[in-house]
Amino acid sequence: MERIDKILNHKLFISCLERNKEAERDRIFCRHNMEHFLNVARIGEILNLEEHRRIPKVQIYAAALLHDIGRYRQYEDGTPHEQASAQLAPQILRDCGFDENETCVILNAIASHRDGKVKEEPGLRGILYRADKLSRGCFACEAEGLCDWKQDKKNRTLRY
């Protein structure tokens, strides 16, 4: 996973992580940090294997690592974070050796990771959407009662 290691060390990726951390410094709800990114990646790969999808692992990890990198912009200027992340990711993907086709697939998944219409899709878009939602441990969250997530979206049981 050489290209994934390149993402982890990319200056823009690191900068986005730092900006997310600062923007969420006082946030009591789920954060958009490396722990979340890795949870999404690992759950995405489990879903990929369980569902026999054959999506390249490198694409799952790239999409998961980059899907929320623009979250700080949502706090700063109101840009939906899936759009901001899809705007930031191309430079990182290009610099880390992803070709045009891979980049298109990954960006499409990032841009739609909050769109419930892709939930059941068999490709990367559906995997990223499901993994993102499954990564949240609502059942163990101290702030769950204050969270504005719809009740049917909250994870009340441990699946992964």
Side-chain angles (χ1 to χ4, degrees):
M1 298 233 296
E2 183 179 324
R3 293 185 292 171
I4 298 305
D5 290 335
K6 288 181 179 180
I7 291 173
L8 294 174
N9 291 294
H10 194 279
K11 287 181 183 181
L12 179 56
F13 177 76
I14 292 167
S15 172
C16 290
L17 278 177
E18 291 170 0
R19 292 180 79 171
N20 279 355
K21 181 178 180 178
E22 179 58 28
E24 295 184 335
R25 182 181 61 238
D26 298 323
R27 183 178 166 90
I28 62 170
F29 304 109
C30 300
R31 296 188 182 195
H32 301 83
N33 56 19
M34 184 61 77
E35 179 182 6
H36 172 59
F37 299 168
L38 290 175
N39 285 339
V40 172
R42 291 170 177 149
I43 291 170
E45 180 60 9
I46 291 169
L47 292 172
N48 186 41
L49 295 170
E50 284 183 351
E51 298 172 10
H52 309 286
R53 297 294 180 204
R54 305 178 96 182
I55 299 167
K57 182 177 178 179
V58 69
Q59 289 182 15
I60 293 170
Y61 270 75
L65 289 174
L66 299 172
H67 81 285
D68 283 340
I69 59 170
R71 180 64 185 206
Y72 70 90
R73 288 202 34 218
Q74 190 164 327
Y75 298 116
E76 290 178 0
D77 63 22
T79 302
H81 74 269
E82 67 276 15
Q83 291 175 19
S85 298
Q87 292 167 358
L88 292 162
Q91 178 185 340
I92 297 170
L93 291 167
R94 183 176 46 255
D95 291 350
C96 295
F98 289 83
D99 66 32
E100 189 175 322
N101 185 50
E102 291 173 306
T103 297
C104 182
V105 169
I106 293 165
L107 293 178
N108 195 329
I110 291 169
S112 61
H113 84 269
R114 296 179 66 205
D115 183 354
K117 295 175 192 159
V118 305
K119 180 180 182 178
E120 301 302 326
E121 287 185 12
L124 183 59
R125 290 176 5 143
I127 292 284
L128 183 62
Y129 178 92
R130 293 190 301 279
D132 187 37
K133 304 310 173 265
L134 288 166
S135 73
R136 301 306 192 177
C138 305
F139 57 87
C141 179
E142 293 179 14
E144 186 271 331
L146 301 171
C147 181
D148 64 1
W149 259 26
K150 293 179 181 176
Q151 292 300 316
D152 64 332
K153 285 177 79 176
K154 292 183 181 182
N155 295 320
R156 304 236 182 257
T157 59
L158 179 62
R159 183 170 168 198
Y160 296 102

